Amino acid sequence: MNSSHIEQTMRHHLARLLPNHLSSEIYTYATLPGGKLFRPHLVWSILKDLNPALYEKSKNDVHSAHSLLATAVEFHHSYTLIHDDLPSMDDDTERRGKPCTHIAYGEWQALLAGDGLLNMSYQLLSKMKGHRTLELMRFFSWALGPKGLIHGQVLDLSHEMTKSLENTLRTHELKTARLIQVAILGSAILASEKNSQLEKKLWKYSRLLGINFQLIDDLSELSEAVLSDHEKEVNPWLHHPEKTFEVTVNALATFDQLSAELNLTGTNAIIKDYYGKMLSLITPNQSVIENHLNKQSILPVMLLLKSFSE
Amino acid sequence: MNSSHIEQTMRHHLARLLPNHLSSEIYTYATLPGGKLFRPHLVWSILKDLNPALYEKSKNDVHSAHSLLATAVEFHHSYTLIHDDLPSMDDDTERRGKPCTHIAYGEWQALLAGDGLLNMSYQLLSKMKGHRTLELMRFFSWALGPKGLIHGQVLDLSHEMTKSLENTLRTHELKTARLIQVAILGSAILASEKNSQLEKKLWKYSRLLGINFQLIDDLSELSEAVLSDHEKEVNPWLHHPEKTFEVTVNALATFDQLSAELNLTGTNAIIKDYYGKMLSLITPNQSVIENHLNKQSILPVMLLLKSFSE
């Protein structure tokens, strides 16, 4: 699956779900072009790995369950970004190299577009035909609701996140991993009949992936010589360098084991590609990062990422 | 169905859907005590009118489809109120005689609680068992999404609403009527097998009810001798007194016809009760209101409301 195909499907659904009105433009601005599209790519790669025949049948049908899920996951992700950037939240001004939605269109416009995309993610799910649709929706709404992603946002903004490494990891699990879990496990739910053992493994796999994703991202954020106050406050590598190092190495190793066991060829390729990109961000800045960590060597993490991305 | 029963069901679901964490308190603050609970009352009365046996079976079961819908509709309503009150939206400070959620808990807390309640409304729907659940969800998410309620909020905040009486009525339809339609038509969808003719009539009935609800509310807002700038800007009775009068009288009359035709005894009783309350707000202020309308008599509207509420 290539990114332009994913974006084309997003465009199709935007056109159908939005009113024919000038105000709809904000939705395109907030969702396209779509960044890395990591989550929709995971939806498709898991389907291809688990059920190649269904993948072939689904990929060119914008109304297939997986087209709907891939779009719903990305719309839901976009809503969290719009709301996270608002002045009362993270108060950001730039996103993906352009002004944040509320900077470009105004604050109430961005707030409502976020609400709109949140609604649209469920609207897309409600158009699915398979018999596991409601099961998927229960998982989706639990993982992304007040016990899931939203609780992660609360832990972050209330500064509870930074009180211990455990709290940081819990926040990463809720705020970052849950949406990745919805992409992976959600895709698996729609790919075949119930298989509790596989789904349990995919739960662990996607949970670890989400946490690693965020920890490696945290590490790469230290590439700048001068860090923002926010970065200084929330980055676990600065506060618990040794423990964070240990947790990351263990999580990467456990994830590696599970990857081999599950043998998800296509999905593992996407993740390798991602780790390769992260490594290429980290490598040229190794000494800058190590300075922030009081010279602690990050070489072992880099070697692990390298072994993954080969 | 009494209000305390509805609130008890809401409390049950809040406890189940929220994390065991201090931050969950805001959800109770924002939803309870629950105001008039007009929408959940409509869910129950429609069920009782259309399928009394299912009503008896469902009313004491917090997991029945109608308990879930009544709670979902009220949670969804609460989310719109929280977000509408935010500084970047209507910038209100009081709601139901207490400080708005963002005044009591802070702005990002209120924003996230709104997002949480929006998610929870879909989470509740996803727990339904009947075979028309997905059909209900398609209607729910369409009516309350960017082509529905959210477009009404856009028309309101962009001031497009006040450019003509037609725009005002369209805004009332989207912003107010759609949620009332979800309560009424949603309840009917879950009450029995598909009946296109009944559902078409209920669509009209609930649409007119929602628009009348808002127009009578607009009229009652003129009970104060001194009006706020916002009220002066948006109230259709001030800008188009004669046309608004005509539209209201026609809509009330058409609604009366449909009510008689549909013979929804319990639901009509709730609406009569509501109109009676509105009349008791308007009657003592008749002359104040007529002053705002350049002495135009509102007696015919009052008589219509009186005939309804008897």
Side-chain angles (χ1 to χ4, degrees):
Chain A
M1 183 63 59
N2 61 48
S3 290
S4 78
H5 190 93
I6 290 172
E7 291 191 343
Q8 223 176 302
T9 307
M10 288 166 64
R11 242 177 247 284
H12 171 90
H13 289 294
L14 286 173
R16 281 168 53 101
L17 302 183
L18 294 171
N20 185 7
H21 188 264
L22 197 64
S23 64
S24 294
E25 184 191 293
I26 189 172
Y27 289 88
T28 309
Y29 182 87
T31 54
L32 292 163
K36 290 184 295 287
L37 298 169
F38 190 56
R39 295 155 195 82
H41 275 297
L42 289 173
V43 169
W44 286 114
S45 70
I46 288 286
L47 174 61
K48 197 174 178 183
D49 286 333
L50 296 180
N51 190 339
L54 187 60
Y55 172 80
E56 290 305 324
K57 238 180 86 181
S58 304
K59 65 178 182 179
N60 291 318
D61 173 8
V62 289
H63 302 294
S64 69
H66 284 82
S67 284
L68 293 165
L69 177 63
T71 310
V73 162
E74 189 61 19
F75 283 0
H76 205 96
H77 180 54
S78 302
Y79 119 70
T80 65
L81 300 182
I82 299 175
H83 281 188
D84 275 343
D85 288 341
L86 286 172
S88 66
M89 303 272 286
D90 294 346
D91 194 15
D92 272 323
T93 54
E94 268 202 33
R95 166 78 63 187
R96 293 178 186 159
K98 60 186 193 184
C100 288
T101 308
H102 67 276
I103 302 284
Y105 286 88
E107 215 177 313
W108 66 256
Q109 291 87 343
L111 175 62
L112 288 179
D115 293 345
L117 285 163
L118 173 41
N119 264 294
M120 284 156 83
S121 71
Y122 288 103
Q123 200 173 353
L124 290 166
L125 302 190
S126 74
K127 293 180 193 290
M128 290 178 181
K129 300 246 158 54
H131 69 284
R132 296 189 77 187
T133 302
L134 285 172
E135 192 181 344
L136 170 78
M137 288 182 95
R138 285 192 290 275
F139 177 54
F140 190 108
S141 56
W142 169 82
L144 308 180
K147 277 192 181 177
L149 188 149
I150 292 177
H151 194 50
Q153 292 172 301
V154 169
L155 295 177
D156 182 352
L157 287 158
S158 67
H159 306 284
E160 231 177 283
M161 169 184 178
T162 51
K163 282 186 186 147
S164 67
L165 181 58
E166 286 65 35
N167 283 12
T168 303
L169 293 172
R170 179 74 181 144
T171 307
H172 285 2
E173 175 173 1
L174 295 171
K175 204 181 157 185
T176 309
R178 284 291 181 266
L179 198 49
I180 287 173
Q181 295 189 277
V182 164
I184 290 179
L185 207 46
S187 178
I189 288 173
L190 300 175
S192 48
E193 293 304 311
K194 193 162 189 69
N195 178 340
S196 299
Q197 206 158 1
L198 173 68
E199 283 161 27
K200 258 184 210 163
K201 276 187 192 164
L202 285 175
W203 165 268
K204 279 189 207 163
Y205 171 87
S206 56
R207 181 180 165 278
L208 280 170
L209 174 61
I211 293 170
N212 289 341
F213 181 94
Q214 194 58 56
L215 286 169
I216 302 298
D217 192 66
D218 290 340
L219 188 65
S220 78
E221 292 287 339
L222 304 178
S223 301
E224 303 284 330
V226 181
L227 301 175
S228 70
D229 287 346
H230 178 74
E231 204 53 49
K232 279 186 209 156
E233 199 207 319
V234 302
N235 201 305
W237 292 90
L238 297 174
H239 299 283
H240 323 276
E242 281 158 44
K243 262 167 82 186
T244 305
F245 175 82
E246 202 188 305
V247 166
T248 306
V249 167
N250 283 338
L252 283 170
T254 314
F255 180 72
D256 191 29
Q257 264 179 345
L258 264 169
S259 284
E261 218 176 294
L262 282 162
N263 194 25
L264 302 166
T265 324
T267 304
N268 287 339
I270 288 177
I271 295 163
K272 272 174 200 205
D273 183 57
Y274 176 74
Y275 281 145
K277 277 182 193 146
M278 294 310 284
L279 189 62
S280 72
L281 285 174
I282 291 169
T283 306
N285 301 297
Q286 185 183 348
S287 64
V288 180
I289 296 175
E290 288 175 347
N291 269 339
H292 288 303
L293 305 182
N294 296 320
K295 316 276 177 208
Q296 189 191 311
S297 170
I298 60 164
L299 201 62
V301 173
M302 290 166 65
L303 289 174
L304 266 171
L305 287 177
K306 195 165 182 317
S307 80
F308 270 122
S309 53
E310 273 167 4
Chain B
M1 183 62 59
N2 61 49
S3 290
S4 80
H5 190 92
I6 290 171
E7 290 191 344
Q8 223 176 302
T9 306
M10 287 165 64
R11 243 178 247 284
H12 171 89
H13 290 295
L14 285 174
R16 282 168 52 102
L17 302 183
L18 294 172
N20 186 6
H21 189 266
L22 197 65
S23 63
S24 294
E25 187 191 292
I26 189 172
Y27 289 89
T28 309
Y29 182 87
T31 53
L32 293 162
K36 290 185 295 288
L37 298 168
F38 189 57
R39 295 154 194 81
H41 275 298
L42 289 174
V43 169
W44 287 114
S45 70
I46 287 286
L47 174 61
K48 198 173 178 184
D49 286 334
L50 297 180
N51 190 339
L54 187 60
Y55 172 80
E56 289 306 323
K57 239 180 87 179
S58 305
K59 65 177 183 181
N60 292 316
D61 173 7
V62 290
H63 302 294
S64 69
H66 284 83
S67 284
L68 293 165
L69 177 63
T71 309
V73 162
E74 190 60 21
F75 283 0
H76 205 97
H77 179 54
S78 303
Y79 120 69
T80 64
L81 300 182
I82 299 175
H83 281 188
D84 274 343
D85 288 341
L86 285 172
S88 65
M89 302 271 287
D90 294 346
D91 194 15
D92 272 324
T93 54
E94 269 203 33
R95 166 76 64 187
R96 292 177 187 160
K98 61 185 192 185
C100 288
T101 307
H102 67 275
I103 303 285
Y105 286 88
E107 214 176 315
W108 66 256
Q109 291 87 342
L111 174 62
L112 289 179
D115 292 346
L117 285 163
L118 173 42
N119 264 293
M120 285 157 82
S121 71
Y122 288 103
Q123 201 172 354
L124 290 166
L125 302 191
S126 75
K127 293 179 192 292
M128 290 178 182
K129 301 247 157 55
H131 67 284
R132 297 189 75 187
T133 302
L134 285 172
E135 191 182 344
L136 170 77
M137 289 181 94
R138 286 193 289 276
F139 176 53
F140 190 107
S141 56
W142 169 83
L144 309 180
K147 276 191 182 178
L149 188 149
I150 292 178
H151 194 49
Q153 291 173 301
V154 170
L155 295 178
D156 181 352
L157 287 157
S158 67
H159 306 285
E160 230 177 284
M161 169 184 177
T162 51
K163 282 186 186 147
S164 66
L165 181 58
E166 287 64 36
N167 283 13
T168 303
L169 293 172
R170 179 74 182 146
T171 307
H172 285 1
E173 173 172 3
L174 295 171
K175 204 181 158 186
T176 308
R178 284 291 181 266
L179 198 50
I180 287 173
Q181 295 189 277
V182 164
I184 290 179
L185 206 45
S187 178
I189 289 172
L190 301 174
S192 48
E193 293 304 312
K194 193 160 188 69
N195 178 339
S196 299
Q197 206 159 0
L198 173 67
E199 283 161 27
K200 257 185 212 162
K201 276 187 192 165
L202 284 174
W203 165 268
K204 278 189 206 162
Y205 170 88
S206 57
R207 181 180 165 278
L208 279 170
L209 174 61
I211 293 171
N212 290 340
F213 181 94
Q214 194 58 56
L215 285 170
I216 302 298
D217 193 65
D218 290 341
L219 187 66
S220 79
E221 291 287 340
L222 304 178
S223 301
E224 302 285 329
V226 181
L227 301 175
S228 71
D229 287 346
H230 179 74
E231 203 54 49
K232 279 187 210 155
E233 200 207 320
V234 302
N235 201 306
W237 292 90
L238 298 174
H239 299 283
H240 323 275
E242 280 158 45
K243 261 167 83 185
T244 306
F245 176 83
E246 202 188 305
V247 167
T248 306
V249 167
N250 282 338
L252 282 170
T254 315
F255 180 71
D256 191 29
Q257 262 179 345
L258 264 170
S259 285
E261 220 175 295
L262 282 162
N263 194 25
L264 302 166
T265 325
T267 304
N268 287 338
I270 288 177
I271 295 162
K272 273 175 199 204
D273 183 57
Y274 176 73
Y275 280 145
K277 277 183 193 145
M278 293 312 283
L279 188 63
S280 72
L281 284 174
I282 290 169
T283 306
N285 301 297
Q286 186 184 348
S287 65
V288 180
I289 297 174
E290 288 175 347
N291 269 340
H292 288 304
L293 306 182
N294 296 321
K295 316 276 177 208
Q296 188 191 310
S297 171
I298 60 164
L299 202 62
V301 173
M302 290 167 66
L303 288 174
L304 265 172
L305 288 176
K306 194 164 182 317
S307 80
F308 270 121
S309 53
E310 272 169 1

